[in-house]
Amino acid sequence: MQYEGVLTKMQTEQGTPIQYYLVFENSFLNMNQLLGRDLEINFQGFKCLNCGKKKKIYRTGFCYDCFYSIPDAGDWIMRPELSTAHLGIADRDLEYEKKVQLQPHIVYLASASDMKVGVTRKTQVPTRWIDQGASQAIPLIEVPNRYLAGITEVALKDHFSDKINWKKMLLNDIMEIDLISRRNEMHALLPDEVQEYFETTPEKLYTLEYPVLEYPKKINSLNLTKTPAYTGKLTGIKGQYLMFEDGTVFNVRSYEGFEVIISV
């Protein structure tokens, strides 16, 4: 069967293991059901996720013009400490920024390769951790806006990474970390503005299980612009990556806005 459409990040459903869905405009694939089967991916072209034009994708599924104009791609998305909606100051669209920035956010610790610190909206728990391929995660503080979460992340980045070693994550080379103990050690490192939120944030450890038949020994990233047609046997899904028997890995999220035909 063939499925055709524009790639967006895989939708997920918490479970044991996590369920993954590749969703197109008129169809969808339960990716878990394809484990152990051959999968063919053919790159057809581009379609910006914002304007819908068939223009080359620049970043995060958007063409160049959209990336530098729409509120969904403002600098505060990747750097929460730049958020200004709590001050009534617009970046690109104040109403949109208020909607996204002025809601509860979680600063968390996660184990995906080594330990990392990160920020997510409360509504994105545990989706954010699944998308990153975290094995475990625990909330550190819950704050009322994105700015407070951002300055907390910046303070903790002086001591801990905010990045995941994606290769180690896909090789399942995961360091064993007692996140509950590490969480308690963080209290003294928090900025004064957020100290009060530590005690009110539940100490809940999330453990995540991914649908993987076999982890690769070595990995090679599939680049659709250089290799527009690829066929391989799907052996695992973790984060937003598809893993294949020959060691090829495909980061679906990196190719948002790419039009493809998938044959199974």
Side-chain angles (χ1 to χ4, degrees), residues 11 17 19 34 37 42 46 53 57 78 90 97 113 129 144 156 167-168 177 179 194 206 218 235-236 239 245 248-249:
Q11 302 301 303
Q19 295 291 313
L34 302 181
R37 297 174 59 182
N42 285 277
F46 303 104
K53 295 179 181 178
I57 298 302
M78 296 302 295
E97 289 148 12
S113 49
W129 304 327
L156 295 178
K167 291 184 178 180
K168 290 176 67 175
I177 301 169
L179 290 182
V194 302
Y206 292 77
K218 294 182 180 180
T235 54
E245 188 175 50
T248 297
V249 298

Side-chain angles (χ1 to χ4, degrees), residues 13-20 32 130 134-135 207-212 215 237-238:
E13 183 179 14
Q14 176 68 299
T16 308
I18 295 157
Q19 295 291 313
Y20 280 88
N32 296 54
I130 293 172
S135 298
T207 299
L208 304 165
E209 181 180 327
Y210 297 90
V212 179
Y215 283 97
I237 314 168
K238 191 174 185 182

Side-chain angles (χ1 to χ4, degrees), residues 53-69:
K53 295 179 181 178
K54 295 183 180 296
K55 298 167 64 176
K56 185 176 181 180
I57 298 302
Y58 178 67
R59 259 182 230 168
T60 62
F62 304 127
C63 66
Y64 182 92
D65 291 336
C66 288
F67 184 82
Y68 281 106
S69 62

